[in-house]
Amino acid sequence: MALGEFQLIDRYFRPLQQPGGLSRPDVLLGVGDDGAVLRVPAGRDLVAVLDTLVEGRHFLPGCDPRSIGHRALAVNLSDLAAMGATPAWALLGLTLPAADDTFLHALAAGLAELAARHGVALVGGDTTAGPLALTVQAMGFVPPGQALRRSGAAAGELLFVSGTPGDAAAGLLLERGTAGGLHVTPEQQHAARYLQDRFLFPTPRVALGEALRGLASACIDVSDGLAQDAGKLAHDSGCGLRLELDQLPLSPQLLALVGAGRACQLALTGGDDYELCFSVPAGSLAELSAVATATDCRLTCIGVLEAQPGLRLWQEGSPVQQPAAGFDHFAGAD
Ligand code: ADP
Ligand code: MG
């Protein structure tokens, strides 16, 4: 590599050990030795997650490197959020075809900006030459026994989703250039930009995940499409699910660009939203509404957990056909 592996780490990644310039006291030893030494605060459970982004699979060749850096951390913070964990540390496995300064500067800046926002210290990693791919391992804390799981929901509880799912999937179609058959008029440019940003710079719902501890009975983050991920939550909880398509929170930007039918399909089966989908007992609605206000998250009830297994879609009071499955990496071409 032109820059040299150690120069590259020193210049771009060592500074991320101090998110926003602050050092974390729980990092006893970080970048520079053979391993990091980290101290889990007394009386906390450690939650560990890991996600990989591969060029051509999770982001398009030629994608803004700032977005690549942001997303590599964001998808992991979203997993921590789904567990109700407070993020603390991350490690980065970086495989690069070439040590290009401009590229690395932007990639590290995307990562650094999100890390600083959540006080996450990059405490180590590995750097190798090869086809572009990033693996981040992130770790965070929860009070003992309070991690949220997919498996805690019960029949009769209500299912909620944060934000407006479907936006990121439409954003990806627009990023692809062909726009997936979408025609963008000059008046729709603003909405199109919004949707692209939802794909390129997703917002992990960290504060929401923390606030749902002790309130949500089960939680999952929506990465592979709402229908599939909500279905997993129901299945892992030993329940079925009735989803009300009329209740899906569709953004005005998505509706303006693709219309109601396609918007609904994108919300159900598109991926990359990184919203939280969770169940709460009906008696917790007042508390949940306070959480929505405190975390500035739009929270929408989209269905109910039922005793009968399986996913049932309802629209205007009648059952409707199942959507195609969500995104599955091994189900053929994406
Ligand atoms: P070793 O050969 O002992 O595995 P490396 O030379 O790979 O050590 O890494 C040197 C130091 O730099 C280690 O502390 C490692 O954690 C850190 N490091 C390597 N790559 C990265 C990266 N992409 N981001 C953050 N830290 C990194
Ligand atoms: Mg190494």
Side-chain angles (χ1 to χ4, degrees):
M1 285 186 185
L3 194 58
E5 184 185 331
F6 302 110
Q7 274 176 298
L8 181 162
I9 296 165
D10 269 353
R11 187 176 303 174
Y12 295 111
F13 297 110
R14 192 189 285 274
L16 274 62
Q17 196 166 225
Q18 305 199 328
L22 297 171
S23 55
R24 292 186 61 105
D26 50 20
V27 179
L28 308 186
L29 184 62
V31 172
D33 214 305
D34 289 314
V37 182
L38 308 167
R39 186 160 291 169
V40 180
R44 286 289 177 274
D45 290 346
L46 179 71
V47 179
V49 304
L50 180 146
D51 252 319
T52 295
L53 300 190
V54 176
E55 183 177 58
R57 174 56 86 169
H58 302 95
F59 56 90
L60 302 171
C63 172
D64 176 1
R66 222 184 163 87
S67 158
I68 300 171
H70 175 100
R71 288 183 75 232
L73 183 59
V75 299
N76 281 279
L77 296 188
S78 178
D79 280 332
L80 286 179
M83 301 300 293
T86 303
W89 310 313
L91 293 127
L92 168 67
L94 179 61
T95 309
L96 280 172
D100 178 79
D101 249 321
T102 316
F103 179 89
L104 278 166
H105 180 81
L107 182 133
L111 224 165
E113 194 271 330
L114 186 62
R117 213 184 298 165
H118 295 284
V120 172
L122 185 70
V123 297
D126 192 33
T127 307
T128 55
L132 184 60
L134 289 82
T135 296
V136 170
Q137 182 191 9
M139 286 162 280
F141 313 133
V142 285
Q146 282 197 34
L148 299 171
R149 297 168 188 228
R150 298 177 176 184
S151 55
E157 293 183 340
L158 301 173
L159 190 80
F160 279 76
V161 71
S162 63
T164 53
D167 290 351
L172 176 58
L173 290 178
L174 292 162
E175 280 290 301
R176 283 214 162 106
T178 61
L182 299 185
H183 177 64
V184 182
T185 64
E187 309 82 72
Q188 290 172 332
Q189 288 294 345
H190 197 68
R193 187 68 249 163
Y194 170 85
L195 297 173
Q196 280 165 281
D197 275 349
R198 295 310 299 151
F199 173 75
L200 294 172
F201 298 97
T203 312
R205 303 295 182 189
V206 172
L208 176 61
E210 292 172 307
L212 290 176
R213 292 197 297 244
L215 178 59
S217 52
C219 187
I220 189 168
D221 74 322
V222 183
S223 51
D224 296 335
L226 183 56
Q228 178 164 310
D229 290 326
K232 279 185 196 162
L233 181 151
H235 176 268
D236 290 3
S237 297
C239 296
L241 179 62
R242 171 175 165 156
L243 273 187
E244 303 287 347
L245 301 193
D246 305 313
Q247 308 296 326
L248 288 177
L250 304 172
S251 73
Q253 292 89 345
L254 182 64
L255 287 167
L257 245 85
V258 305
R262 186 121 186 253
C264 179
Q265 222 221 334
L266 287 172
L268 286 176
T269 63
D272 302 306
D273 292 310
Y274 302 105
E275 296 295 347
L276 295 185
C277 178
F278 56 93
S279 52
V280 289
S284 304
L285 291 188
E287 212 180 323
L288 189 62
S289 139
V291 163
T293 308
T295 59
D296 197 22
C297 274
R298 175 174 175 177
L299 303 180
T300 309
C301 180
I302 55 168
V304 61
L305 279 301
E306 296 180 329
Q308 185 196 349
L311 173 65
R312 289 165 290 283
L313 304 179
W314 284 67
Q315 193 159 29
E316 291 166 7
S318 312
V320 293
Q321 270 244 299
Q322 305 281 335
F327 187 83
D328 179 340
H329 281 279
F330 297 100
D334 52 331

